[in-house]
Amino acid sequence: MRGTSEAEQRAYKRRNVVERSLNAIKQWRSLATCYDKLALTYRSAADLHTAVNRSALLGDRS
């Protein structure tokens, strides 16, 4: 990115990671519970998705 400071580039990268992570959670949640719109179910699905992703990361370590 031309014309931007190093701090702005780091902030953009962090925002991008957060946005992509949230989009992945939203997409996974829509597949898992596409008919249930309760806030509790949404939060539970997001927590479950996080646990699945973290356990997959831990399983890859030797």
Side-chain angles (χ1 to χ4, degrees), residues 39-51:
L40 178 63
T41 305
Y42 183 84
R43 174 62 191 260
S44 299
D47 290 343
L48 180 61
H49 181 263
T50 302

Side-chain angles (χ1 to χ4, degrees), residues 11-13 43 45 56:
Y12 174 79
K13 286 181 182 181
R43 174 62 191 260

